[in-house]
Amino acid sequence: MDVWALLIIPIVTSVVIVFITRKWKNLSSYLSIAAVIACFFIVLPYLIEALGNPHMHGHEQAFTWLKVSGLHIKMGTFIDSLTVVMLCIVTFVGSLIHIYARGYMEGEEGYSRFFACLSFFIFAMLGIVLANNLIMIFIFWELVGLASYLLIGYYYQKPSAADAAKKAFLVNRIGDFGLILGIFVIYYATGSFNFGEIEHQVMAGHVEPWTMGLAALLLFCGAVGKSAQFPLHVWLPDAMEGPTPVSALIHAATMVAAGVYLLARISFLFYMAPPEAGIVVAYVGGLTALMAALMALAQSDIKKIIAYSTLSSLGYMVMSVGLGGTGPGMFYLMTHAFFKALLFLGAGSVIHACHTNSIWEMGKLYPKMKATGVTFILGSLAMMGVFPFAGFWSKDEILSTAFDSGHWLLYGAGTLTAFITGIFITKIVLLAFFGKKRYHGNPHESPPSMTIPLVVLSVFAVFAGLAGFPGLEPNFGSFIPSHGHHGPHHFNFLVAGISTLVVFAGILIGWKLYTGEAEPAHRLKAQYPCLYKVLENKFYFDHFYDGVLVAVIYNGIGKILNFIEVNIFINFLINGFAYNVRVVGRALRGTITGQLQHYALFMVSGVVVLVLIFLQYFV
Amino acid sequence: MEGFPILSVIIGLPLVAVLFLLFVKEESIYLIRCVSAVTTFICLLLSLILMFKYDTEAAGFQFIEKIEWVKSMGISYHLGVDGISVLMIVLTSFVIFTGVFVSWVGIKTRIKEHYILMLLLVAGVFGVFAALDMLLFYFFYELAVIPMYPLIGIWGSANREYATMKLTLYLSFGAVFALLGILAIYFTAGAQTGTYTFDMLEMSAVVFDRSFQIKAFIPLIFGFGVLVPLAPFHSWSPIGHAAAPSAVSMLHAGVLMKLGAYGIIRLAMGLLPEGAVYWMPYVAGLCLINIFYGGMVALSRKDLKFMVGYSSSSHMGYVLLGLATLGTVGVNGAVMLMFAHGIMTALAFSLIGFIYDQTHTRMIYDLSGLAKKVPFLAVSFAMMAFASSGLPGFANFVAELMVFIGAFKVYPIHTIIAVFGIIVTATYMLRAVRTVFFCEPLEKWDGLRDAKTFVERMPYVVLVAVLLIVGFYPAIVLDLIDSGVVPLINKINGVPLG
């Protein structure tokens, strides 16, 4: 029963804000914050239970939602340790970001609308996490898409925000196209939408391997959309048009991780399917990780850089899950939620102070904003994966998974990504907080409602990695049910050593390039203008999609068919037919003269013709 | 309630109101509007009573009324409803009830005549859904089509003479073909059994031989297909929507297009099961033209009403795809989609009408940033757009999901294309939302008025609420639909009745 409250509380809050408390801004925000904190407290007992017994028996409950002959869909919830991890992330990080948003959104038009959407998002996100079947996941999957649409389009009067919202929704729809087909394939292969039943069927070997592979890859399409993997990654950077708390909550910590969560949920499919399915997933992840890191190098919008690093991190997680490392993937998801939310909120605090997104208009903010600065640096260290911060442990698990799998290309891509991440994260820290003063006006530290969440998150960004400390029991890796061949995680000193080395190399290069006036960086940019342009334009993906796929092919087909419709069907065939009928009618009108002798003539001619016919054939 | 002729009352009430309105003075606008509103409200209540009183356990045709009419030819005044027709009657009463309020705001001239014609039309539609006699069915159908001609011709907007002529010709043309099929069935059944009757119930007991079924199916699917409208006979519909005044567009897209699909279910599939098995795979192919072609044309249309018009013909493709599966899940989905799409499209046309009445343009790119000025309309429109793109929470999602699940088993390739269609729908719907309601507000639309009063807001609130309620709790309509669909599918699968 209390599990349903997790869904009921946020949706009721959202509805109440929309219809009743819209006028009272503060009340609306308090309601929304109270709702998400209440959810957190409902989740806590489950966390305690799961910590005591990592292989806890799943709590499942369901009710019939749709029943006709031949189809019976139940809605239900399922709670195991995987669910608990996600529930905690969503409600805990969500609570902090709600509190932060109260300060950040101060004075914005549509303050209540913002909190109504946030509560709606929490509702939809918890729905995904709790779902015990594929249809329910799909429903809430679409609903988080709606929440994301509404929040990206929060400043709907800005054309760029309106475009970004539309783009996010449509690109996700393309992924969902695969997802829903995958659900159908599973349904017809196993006769069920329920995870437990599907798993039972699949593990019993009742499903052909290639069907499972097909289904797994189709479901992965959904994850590609939601977790912004190559080639559907284009919406996430644009989504930064939304307010910063939204970027932190939805487009970093929770919603974009839903794809990874889905993959973890159906990991048994990849386990039983032909290994190629998992390899495809892993390579898509690896490619995304590396590509996004490269794209981050040439950006100058602080939120966009962090957004690309999010893409890159999501690539890590997807790669790990693809290689069978569900535990490491989820571990990274958790630590990532903390340090990425922290980075976004820190960036938001900086933007709030400087009124600009460009890192070239900040600089030397550290003396002015100590709290933001310190927490941001801690988050950066976690993000880069410096020992002993959270990111170190989780990244190390993923890299060792890749290392052990024997896919050297993936391991290489992961390590290279870590190196590049070192460069651009150092770049943000140096350009925003140190070096030369480039800001205008008089920036000052944000209010406590914004800095307190930063401090809390930074504590987790530093220490959350210890959940995966080797030898700890229950260790995070064994906490997540896994079907892979991976036993308990072994700490690999070689992998850890190499990754630490490359990160420090990255930091060093970043330091060289961006200290002081950042002269070397400018020189480098002048030296390789082509390379820089390619990176700055994000490998021309958006140009290709907008300019070729959408403008030429998609709209082109529409225009051609419209031309056919208007000119060939309507004007030529239909109106032409009507015209001919009119012409014939007009011609026949000539025969109605009103002269009796004409009619008599017609009559006699008719008789003559009839007589002739009669003579011809019947005599 | 026992013995109360509820169906006759639902059909008769609008006619009584028409008679009353004939004697009301042209100037007493308020009285005219109130009479229409009260009449349709009672119809709505009665149809809801019908919905809750209908015994889904017993299924079959209920609330039967039968009076001999022309005995020598076997024509009778025979009414009765199963789950499918109950739902269609409920749909009709929702659309006409909200339509009266939309006209309340939108129609400024010849108000009396407008309401008289609307009520006549809706009586005809109720009749079609309740008729169990094929000739009565045809009679009510014509009763519904005829008022359409003046309704568009007099109160319509641009290009109305052309549109109304085309629409009436197509609708009559389709109906004549259907009538041919009906007559063929009448005479064949008569020759087979010795008693000539138009009674559908008696007719459905007759087993026709396969070759006759296959032949007779053609005029029926063609005739009703034109009404649906099945591509390539669809072009009457978008322009009809575009030229008609809002309330008429609502009825037209919301209800009239469903008459064709209803005819296919009741007559073509119900009486000629083997014909359906033979022809439906081809129909499934044609649906894809509807879905894809209609969607792509909608994508490149710049006029909001044309966009929704083509989108309607695209969505009716999903209905036909569901019917073509000839399985319980798909047909259930199709019928539910008829309902959901009817409500959704009524919402669309009422909203567009409200904006058009003030801006006198429906061109997407002439409008910009309206959300600032008319937030209520913007929210309603966005709800409509999401319902149309099949977002969960709205009835359309459940219906489309069922159509897809049902169709995936029978026509996997068709289903893949059809699912792609929802991406196209989302594209043009969101493009419209983005351009019309988002972005910078233009100065020339500063004077726009939002829907504020009860009369203005009521239609939108009611229609959105219906979509959401059914979307959250689909059992409310699915039990009904299922009770009507199961006997039909059993018959098609050759399962003996009873």
Side-chain angles (χ1 to χ4, degrees):
Chain A
M1 186 53 227
D2 55 341
V3 177
W4 292 118
L6 283 175
L7 296 177
I8 294 166
I9 292 173
I11 188 66
V12 168
T13 308
S14 179
V15 171
V16 165
I17 293 176
V18 169
F19 287 106
I20 302 171
T21 68
R22 194 178 46 211
K23 296 269 183 295
W24 301 290
K25 294 183 167 187
N26 283 326
L27 180 59
S28 300
S29 66
Y30 285 130
L31 268 179
S32 181
I33 293 170
V36 65
I37 291 178
C39 289
F40 176 65
F41 280 108
I42 295 174
V43 171
L44 266 185
Y46 288 99
L47 176 68
I48 291 162
E49 182 188 344
L51 283 177
N53 172 23
H55 305 289
M56 68 194 255
H57 183 66
H59 299 270
E60 189 163 4
Q61 50 177 347
F63 68 93
T64 293
W65 177 65
L66 189 157
K67 188 166 190 282
V68 297
S69 21
L71 183 68
H72 186 179
I73 302 178
K74 283 181 171 177
M75 288 291 149
T77 61
F78 179 72
I79 297 189
D80 63 356
S81 47
L82 177 64
T83 320
V84 169
V85 171
M86 276 305 274
L87 285 176
C88 288
I89 295 170
V90 174
T91 53
F92 179 66
V93 178
S95 302
L96 292 174
I97 293 175
H98 272 67
I99 295 168
Y100 175 94
R102 233 192 82 72
Y104 185 85
M105 299 302 288
E106 195 72 68
E108 293 278 359
E109 204 178 324
Y111 194 74
S112 299
R113 170 164 59 96
F114 180 82
F115 281 97
C117 290
L118 274 192
S119 284
F120 180 77
F121 169 75
I122 294 291
F123 158 71
M125 189 66 210
L126 291 178
I128 290 187
V129 177
L130 288 169
N132 76 338
N133 68 78
L134 283 167
I135 292 290
M136 185 165 161
I137 271 219
F138 183 77
I139 288 177
F140 285 98
W141 193 264
E142 292 282 302
L143 291 183
V144 289
L146 173 67
S148 161
Y149 173 85
L150 294 174
L151 286 164
I152 297 171
Y154 179 74
Y155 302 109
Y156 61 85
Q157 296 188 31
K158 257 170 78 184
S160 56
D163 282 330
K166 190 185 76 175
K167 184 173 178 179
F169 194 85
L170 292 180
V171 172
N172 268 298
R173 257 289 153 99
I174 296 173
D176 297 347
F177 172 61
L179 176 59
I180 192 80
L181 291 178
I183 293 175
F184 295 157
V185 171
I186 293 257
Y187 177 65
Y188 280 111
T190 65
S192 176
F193 294 112
N194 182 286
F195 287 122
E197 287 165 29
I198 295 170
E199 184 170 355
H200 184 72
Q201 293 275 328
V202 166
M203 297 311 273
H206 293 162
V207 187
E208 278 184 66
W210 73 268
T211 314
M212 276 185 286
L214 177 71
L217 286 181
L218 283 171
L219 294 177
F220 174 59
C221 288
V224 168
K226 195 105 327 194
S227 290
Q229 297 297 294
F230 169 83
L232 299 182
H233 60 276
V234 290
W235 67 270
L236 186 58
D238 288 21
M240 297 302 127
E241 288 290 342
T244 308
V246 172
S247 309
L249 178 61
I250 301 187
H251 304 118
T254 55
M255 183 187 84
V256 287
V260 180
Y261 173 76
L262 176 68
L263 291 179
R265 237 320 141 233
I266 57 161
S267 58
F268 57 85
L269 265 184
F270 286 98
Y271 179 57
M272 294 297 281
E276 287 80 8
I279 302 300
V280 169
V281 173
Y283 272 92
V284 168
L287 179 63
T288 309
L290 183 58
M291 198 184 65
L294 283 171
M295 290 193 270
L297 277 177
Q299 305 298 318
S300 54
D301 180 323
I302 185 166
K303 276 180 77 180
K304 288 233 163 135
I305 301 178
I306 306 177
Y308 281 108
S309 84
T310 307
L311 278 182
S312 177
S313 302
L314 290 166
Y316 262 155
M317 299 177 216
V318 168
M319 178 173 90
S320 170
V321 177
L323 291 173
T326 315
M330 287 304 293
F331 184 34
Y332 194 90
L333 191 158
M334 180 188 77
T335 54
H336 174 258
F338 294 124
F339 61 69
K340 193 51 65 70
L342 171 60
L343 286 183
F344 264 119
L345 295 187
S349 174
V350 170
I351 293 168
H352 197 68
C354 296
H355 304 289
T356 175
N357 281 11
S358 169
I359 46 174
W360 295 102
E361 293 170 33
M362 296 170 180
K364 215 174 181 180
L365 284 172
Y366 184 75
K368 296 264 181 188
M369 310 176 71
K370 286 227 168 62
T372 306
V374 169
T375 51
F376 195 91
I377 292 168
L378 289 175
S380 301
L381 291 171
M383 167 81 220
M384 292 186 285
V386 174
F387 180 85
F389 295 94
F392 170 77
W393 303 100
S394 53
K395 188 185 68 183
D396 177 68
E397 285 199 16
I398 290 183
L399 288 178
S400 346
T401 307
F403 187 82
D404 293 341
S405 74
H407 290 280
W408 299 111
L409 219 52
L410 288 176
Y411 173 69
T415 310
L416 193 56
T417 305
F419 168 69
I420 302 170
T421 307
I423 302 179
F424 65 75
I425 294 290
T426 313
K427 170 182 169 183
I428 302 182
V429 173
L430 289 179
L431 287 181
F433 291 100
F434 302 100
K436 233 178 87 72
K437 163 179 176 283
R438 282 180 285 264
Y439 57 78
H440 311 288
N442 184 24
H444 50 82
E445 186 56 280
S446 304
S449 74
M450 287 166 70
T451 48
I452 290 170
L454 288 178
V455 172
V456 177
L457 278 173
S458 64
V459 170
F460 281 86
V462 174
F463 295 111
L466 299 179
F469 193 75
L472 183 75
E473 202 49 51
N475 187 302
F476 196 93
S478 57
F479 192 64
I480 296 294
S482 172
H483 293 276
H485 335 273
H486 297 271
H489 177 68
H490 298 291
F491 192 74
N492 189 327
F493 280 100
L494 180 64
V495 174
I498 294 176
S499 82
T500 305
L501 271 181
V502 295
V503 168
F504 277 108
I507 296 175
L508 201 67
I509 291 177
W511 189 279
K512 281 275 179 224
L513 288 173
Y514 293 101
T515 37
E517 284 282 1
E519 276 300 324
H522 293 302
R523 249 199 331 271
L524 209 61
K525 183 174 156 187
Q527 248 166 6
Y528 302 100
C530 281
L531 184 67
Y532 186 80
K533 225 172 149 61
V534 169
L535 291 183
E536 196 183 19
N537 286 306
K538 310 152 225 166
F539 295 108
Y540 294 97
F541 273 107
D542 287 280
H543 297 75
F544 175 68
Y545 288 163
D546 294 344
V548 180
L549 284 188
V550 175
V552 178
I553 298 180
Y554 199 42
N555 290 348
I557 292 176
K559 289 219 173 75
I560 292 169
L561 291 181
N562 192 31
F563 180 84
I564 292 174
E565 171 75 11
V566 171
N567 291 297
I568 297 183
F569 268 117
I570 296 181
N571 283 343
F572 182 71
L573 287 177
I574 295 166
N575 292 351
F577 182 75
Y579 176 77
N580 284 323
V581 169
R582 257 201 315 276
V583 168
V584 171
R586 214 172 285 143
L588 289 175
R589 197 189 290 163
T591 61
I592 312 296
T593 56
Q595 309 259 350
L596 197 58
Q597 54 268 46
H598 289 163
Y599 296 152
L601 179 67
F602 291 145
M603 204 173 83
V604 173
S605 338
V607 169
V608 169
V609 169
L610 285 179
V611 168
L612 283 176
I613 292 173
F614 182 76
L615 290 177
Q616 186 74 26
Y617 291 101
F618 297 98
V619 178
Chain B
M1 289 298 285
E2 209 51 44
F4 178 71
I6 186 165
L7 293 173
S8 290
V9 173
I10 292 178
I11 301 169
L13 256 182
L15 295 175
V16 173
V18 165
L19 274 182
F20 178 77
L21 288 182
L22 285 175
F23 297 102
V24 171
K25 261 199 269 159
E26 181 85 23
E27 293 78 44
S28 19
I29 299 169
Y30 196 72
L31 178 65
I32 295 171
R33 284 169 174 165
C34 283
V35 167
S36 311
V38 169
T39 310
T40 52
F41 183 64
I42 298 175
C43 285
L44 177 61
L45 284 186
L46 286 176
S47 61
L48 288 176
I49 291 174
L50 194 66
M51 181 168 157
F52 289 108
K53 284 270 172 185
Y54 182 86
D55 184 356
T56 52
E57 292 294 318
F61 287 94
Q62 300 175 14
F63 305 99
I64 287 180
E65 299 166 31
K66 187 167 182 181
I67 302 165
E68 295 289 349
W69 194 4
V70 186
K71 203 166 184 186
S72 59
M73 291 169 68
I75 304 173
S76 55
Y77 176 80
H78 188 179
L79 302 180
V81 283
D82 70 349
I84 301 173
S85 26
V86 168
L87 192 68
M88 290 299 112
I89 289 175
V90 173
L91 165 69
T92 311
S93 32
F94 268 114
V95 174
I96 183 67
F97 175 62
T98 50
V100 165
F101 283 85
V102 169
S103 284
W104 193 306
V105 183
I107 298 294
K108 303 273 190 281
T109 54
R110 303 189 190 215
I111 291 164
K112 177 174 151 184
E113 288 88 339
H114 180 82
Y115 279 111
I116 288 180
L117 290 168
M118 289 245 294
L119 290 171
L120 266 181
L121 190 162
V122 85
V125 177
F126 281 134
V128 172
F129 289 133
L132 281 183
D133 182 280
M134 291 197 291
L135 218 68
L136 194 66
F137 178 93
Y138 188 75
F139 166 80
F140 277 126
Y141 175 75
E142 288 295 334
L143 183 64
V145 170
I146 301 303
M148 212 63 182
Y149 184 79
L151 274 171
I152 299 177
I154 295 174
W155 293 274
S157 54
N159 226 347
R160 58 178 181 237
E161 287 88 359
Y162 173 80
T164 192
M165 194 69 191
K166 189 171 184 174
L167 179 136
T168 315
L169 283 178
Y170 265 85
L171 288 181
S172 312
F173 178 73
V176 166
F177 265 88
L179 184 64
L180 277 180
I182 290 174
L183 290 177
I185 295 174
Y186 170 74
F187 284 114
T188 313
Q192 221 167 306
T193 59
T195 45
Y196 285 87
T197 172
F198 279 103
D199 193 303
M200 287 187 214
L201 293 189
E202 289 176 35
M203 198 75 89
S204 66
V206 181
V207 179
F208 300 101
D209 72 56
R210 187 162 182 272
S211 68
F212 170 75
Q213 293 203 22
I214 291 171
K215 270 183 243 151
F217 198 81
I218 300 171
L220 285 181
I221 192 77
F222 178 73
F224 289 123
V226 170
L227 312 183
V228 167
L230 188 59
F233 301 98
H234 60 276
S235 75
W236 61 271
S237 141
I239 192 161
H241 293 133
S246 311
V248 179
S249 300
M250 289 167 68
L251 277 167
H252 171 194
V255 179
L256 277 187
M257 287 165 87
K258 276 68 194 174
L259 292 183
Y262 180 76
I264 291 175
I265 297 174
R266 182 65 72 232
L267 295 180
M269 287 163 60
L271 298 181
L272 308 168
E274 286 190 66
V277 172
Y278 183 85
W279 284 112
M280 275 314 197
Y282 300 97
V283 174
L286 283 179
C287 305
L288 291 188
I289 303 183
N290 262 52
I291 292 171
F292 187 75
Y293 178 86
M296 286 316 252
V297 173
L299 188 67
S300 40
R301 281 305 171 117
K302 310 215 159 35
D303 182 316
L304 278 175
K305 266 196 165 182
F306 270 106
M307 184 191 88
V308 179
Y310 278 100
S311 133
S312 287
S313 93
S314 165
H315 279 94
M316 289 309 282
Y318 294 111
V319 171
L320 286 176
L321 182 65
L323 295 182
T325 61
L326 299 177
T328 48
V329 181
V331 176
N332 262 300
V335 176
M336 186 169 175
L337 188 55
M338 283 160 71
F339 179 79
H341 178 258
I343 300 280
M344 181 285 284
T345 201
L347 179 62
F349 283 117
S350 57
L351 284 165
I352 296 171
F354 195 92
I355 296 166
Y356 177 72
D357 284 341
Q358 297 184 56
T359 59
H360 300 289
T361 178
R362 296 183 304 239
M363 289 306 176
I364 294 175
Y365 292 98
D366 286 350
L367 302 162
S368 175
L370 297 194
K372 188 91 192 110
K373 286 283 148 212
V374 288
F376 180 82
L377 292 178
V379 171
S380 311
F381 192 92
M383 293 262 208
M384 183 283 293
F386 280 114
S388 179
S389 358
L391 191 84
F394 295 100
N396 305 56
F397 165 75
V398 186
E400 282 171 16
L401 182 73
M402 286 166 69
V403 168
F404 292 148
I405 291 178
F408 191 74
K409 192 172 171 188
V410 197
Y411 313 109
I413 304 294
H414 294 57
T415 312
I416 292 172
I417 299 174
V419 175
F420 181 76
I422 62 172
I423 302 179
V424 179
T425 310
T427 315
Y428 57 74
M429 280 297 173
L430 290 190
R431 199 178 273 187
V433 171
R434 179 223 174 269
T435 315
V436 174
F437 292 101
F438 291 174
C439 300
E440 279 296 311
L442 294 180
E443 226 170 79
K444 62 176 163 177
W445 307 129
D446 270 354
L448 280 197
R449 225 176 56 81
D450 202 359
K452 286 241 162 62
T453 61
F454 170 77
V455 168
E456 285 170 339
R457 284 193 173 189
M458 202 279 300
Y460 313 125
V461 173
V462 168
L463 294 172
V464 169
V466 171
L467 286 179
L468 285 173
I469 291 169
V470 177
F472 269 90
Y473 187 61
I476 210 168
V477 298
L478 279 177
D479 289 343
L480 268 180
I481 301 174
D482 201 38
S483 73
V485 167
V486 171
L488 182 77
I489 299 302
N490 281 346
K491 189 174 178 192
I492 288 172
N493 293 337
V495 179
L497 289 175

